Amino acid sequence: MTAPSSAPDTAVVGPIALVRRPSPRVADGLTTHIERQAVDAELAAEQWAGYVAAMRGTGWRTVEVDAADECPDGVFVEDTVVVMGRTAVLTRPGAPSRRAEVAGTGDALRELGFDVRELGAGTLDGGDVMQVGDRVYVGRGGRTDAAGVAALRSAAALLGRTVVAVPLTRVLHLKSAVTALPDGTIIGYPPIVDDPGFFPLFRPMPEEGGAHVVDLGEGRLLIAASAPRSADLLADLGFTPVPVEIGEFEKLEGCVTCLSVRLRTPR
Ligand SMILES: NC(=O)NCCC[C@H](N)C(=O)O
């Protein structure tokens, strides 16, 4: 694990986020649901630095997982783990080319004192997992299979959490379609949500990039700069949007959630 970006990391007690810098091969990242477009690796590195700066600017300490230069999609660190309290379940990504990304995440989390476990069966991407209180929604789609859902369900049950499987056919990951506001409202872009009826409170957003926010605390929401109308809508609801430019990652079906893993205070 690379040295933390600020204070010494003796214990995980505050807002800390794992990040992983983009590989020089980021332009070779996977695309599944969208047409491949040229990705500028240098611009991607700049945008990643801007993303990290936005997190740090709102009080988060970022800890870098060791770089995985041989993995084009390594920057999408969210997909390698599901963190529930002090327990970190390492995933088995649905795309075989991404499996080498997982070990480094495990090393970083062990060093931070987490109880690191293996998924044990099936495939699952962290981007398919949306936690809202004790409910853990899991997208059952292209990357996460039934055995992966079942394995996460067993791990979550030990921690008093319930897994709800959600069908996903129109987009890469569940959190490409929907994310949660701090008040538990689920926001999403309707053309890519299979069935909004799965969520107790659903608010449609006007742009695809507006379906994704990262809760930074104190009402602040990290959101892609590609979704200005959604940012306005969130501001109108009393939240504070924090826009970041992530266009090079959007070309690879990435969004704001997938570039970090927030580590919460143990519950
Ligand atoms: N959680 C996420 O939304 N991850 C984005 C992963 C994008 C990457 N190009 C992939 O296809 O795996």
Side-chain angles (χ1 to χ4, degrees):
M1 182 172 64
T2 306
S5 314
S6 57
D9 57 340
T10 47
V12 180
V13 288
I16 297 180
L18 291 186
V19 292
R20 178 180 249 159
R21 65 181 54 244
S23 155
R25 292 183 51 205
V26 64
D28 298 329
L30 298 172
T31 51
T32 309
H33 293 264
I34 61 175
E35 296 235 336
R36 180 165 285 284
Q37 298 174 61
V39 171
D40 179 337
E42 215 169 288
L43 181 55
E46 275 171 34
Q47 291 180 347
W48 180 81
Y51 178 97
V52 171
M55 292 205 84
R56 294 178 62 187
T58 50
W60 288 73
R61 181 157 73 90
T62 54
V63 172
E64 274 191 49
V65 175
D66 281 347
D69 285 354
E70 70 292 359
C71 299
D73 284 306
V75 68
F76 303 116
V77 67
E78 168 183 61
D79 293 323
T80 58
V81 69
V82 178
V83 177
M84 296 178 282
R86 299 291 295 179
T87 301
V89 179
L90 297 178
T91 65
R92 185 162 181 270
S97 67
R98 298 202 54 191
R99 294 192 185 143
E101 298 171 23
V102 174
T105 304
D107 292 343
L109 286 164
R110 268 185 286 271
E111 230 175 284
L112 288 168
F114 280 80
D115 176 13
V116 177
R117 304 190 185 170
E118 304 289 330
L119 181 65
T123 63
L124 181 131
D125 281 15
D128 276 325
V129 179
M130 178 175 71
Q131 302 191 51
V132 186
D134 288 337
R135 190 169 293 181
V136 183
Y137 294 99
V138 182
R140 165 65 185 96
R143 296 284 175 86
T144 294
D145 66 11
V149 175
L152 190 69
R153 180 174 286 127
S154 302
L158 293 173
L159 301 163
R161 300 177 192 215
T162 305
V163 162
V164 177
V166 179
L168 184 83
T169 59
R170 304 179 188 175
V171 73
L172 183 64
H173 288 130
L174 178 63
K175 280 186 289 186
S176 317
V178 292
T179 51
L181 295 181
D183 62 11
T185 303
I186 304 303
I187 57 171
Y189 183 57
I192 54 172
V193 179
D194 281 75
D195 184 357
F198 270 86
F199 311 109
L201 272 176
F202 179 80
R203 178 179 280 273
M205 300 301 278
E207 297 145 313
E208 184 164 346
H212 327 120
V213 292
V214 174
D215 178 4
L216 296 172
E218 297 171 21
R220 295 162 307 183
L221 300 171
L222 198 64
I223 184 167
S226 61
R229 286 186 292 135
S230 305
D232 286 349
L233 192 156
L234 293 169
D236 193 56
L237 299 179
F239 295 107
T240 306
V242 179
V244 280
E245 183 54 69
I246 54 161
E248 296 311 289
F249 302 112
E250 289 174 323
K251 291 177 183 172
L252 296 166
E253 292 177 80
C255 56
V256 280
T257 66
C258 55
L259 296 170
S260 60
V261 179
R262 285 161 300 153
L263 309 175
R264 300 263 177 217
T265 306
R267 322 183 332 149

